[in-house]
């Protein structure tokens, strides 16, 4: 039977600002069986796509993206908030449900010919995913898919992502 992810994702109304219902995944991450199921489900879904790198955004994208990369047997590339990566970077600005931000990636982290899977805990507006897709494409590599634990479907992230790239978007939990 499929794991009941939703029972371990807690809703916090009006966090971090009024009107936003924050999805807290820390109970799921803290559950050995649930955490392993998330990682194996996303990695298994993309296992036969020739992925050579997994990209994940600071901070929650690291928590799921890095173990998915390990499970797939490929490298992990961090997309970080400004000023955190020590060498030359590319950067992209983006908007999200509660503000704006910038993500940076090392110039040499991804090469032409790489086949990249993006992994994150959640797609809300889709802005964070689009910023990462732009960084991957600017490096001359190919996006092969996006895997999320959760999709806030009412914010229509798939529409925003589809304007940028036609890769498959896979989400374990859909919130309408
Ligand atoms: O689809 P979007 O509207 O772009 O939102 C999704 C992003 O928002 C959250 O990260 P956040 O920027 O809050 O940073 P954190 O992981 O450091 O908490 C989440 O982990 C996703 O990366
Ligand atoms: N509602 C939400 N809950 C948790 N993380 C988020 N990132 C963007 N929107 C979010």
């Amino acid at each position: 039977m499929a794991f009941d992810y939703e029972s371990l994702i807690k809703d916090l109304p009006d966090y971090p600002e009024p009107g936003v219902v924050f999805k807290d995944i820390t109970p799921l991450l803290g559950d050995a069986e649930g955490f392993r199921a998330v990682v194996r489900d996303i990695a298994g879904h993309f296992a036969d796509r020739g992925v050579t790198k997994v990209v994940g955004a600071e901070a929650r994208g690291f928590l799921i993206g890095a173990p998915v990369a390990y499970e797939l047997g490929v490298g992990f590339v961090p997309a970080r908030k400004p000023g955190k990566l020590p060498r030359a970077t590319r950067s992209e600005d983006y908007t999200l449900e509660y503000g704006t931000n910038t993500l940076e990636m090392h110039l040499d982290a991804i090469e032409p010919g790489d086949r990249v899977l993006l992994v994150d805990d959640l797609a809300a507006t889709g802005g964070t995913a689009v910023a990462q897709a732009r960084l991957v494409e600017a490096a001359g590599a190919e996006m092969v898919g996006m895997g999320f634990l959760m999709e806030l479907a009412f914010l229509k992230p798939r529409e925003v992502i589809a304007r940028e790239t036609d890769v498959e978007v896979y989400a374990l939990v859909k919130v309408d």
Side-chain angles (χ1 to χ4, degrees), residues 57-61 81 94-98 101 120-129 157:
E58 185 175 355
R60 281 172 272 155
K81 289 170 183 170
Y94 62 100
T95 58
L96 68 167
E97 207 184 351
Y98 38 75
N101 215 325
D120 209 340
D121 68 323
L122 181 146
T125 65
T128 308

Side-chain angles (χ1 to χ4, degrees), residues 17-46:
E17 59 184 44
V20 173
V21 178
F22 190 84
K23 299 286 182 181
D24 176 20
I25 63 163
T26 60
L28 177 53
L29 294 174
D31 183 277
E33 195 190 337
F35 184 37
R36 182 160 31 191
V38 170
V39 171
R40 289 194 169 159
D41 193 334
I42 295 174
H45 185 81
F46 291 102

Side-chain angles (χ1 to χ4, degrees), residues 92-103 120 122-132 134 155 157 160-161 163:
E92 272 292 332
D93 300 326
Y94 62 100
T95 58
L96 68 167
E97 207 184 351
Y98 38 75
T100 61
N101 215 325
T102 304
L103 280 178
D120 209 340
L122 181 146
T125 65
T128 308
V130 165
Q132 291 173 89
R134 287 184 181 160
L155 290 173
V160 173
I161 292 166
R163 273 184 234 133

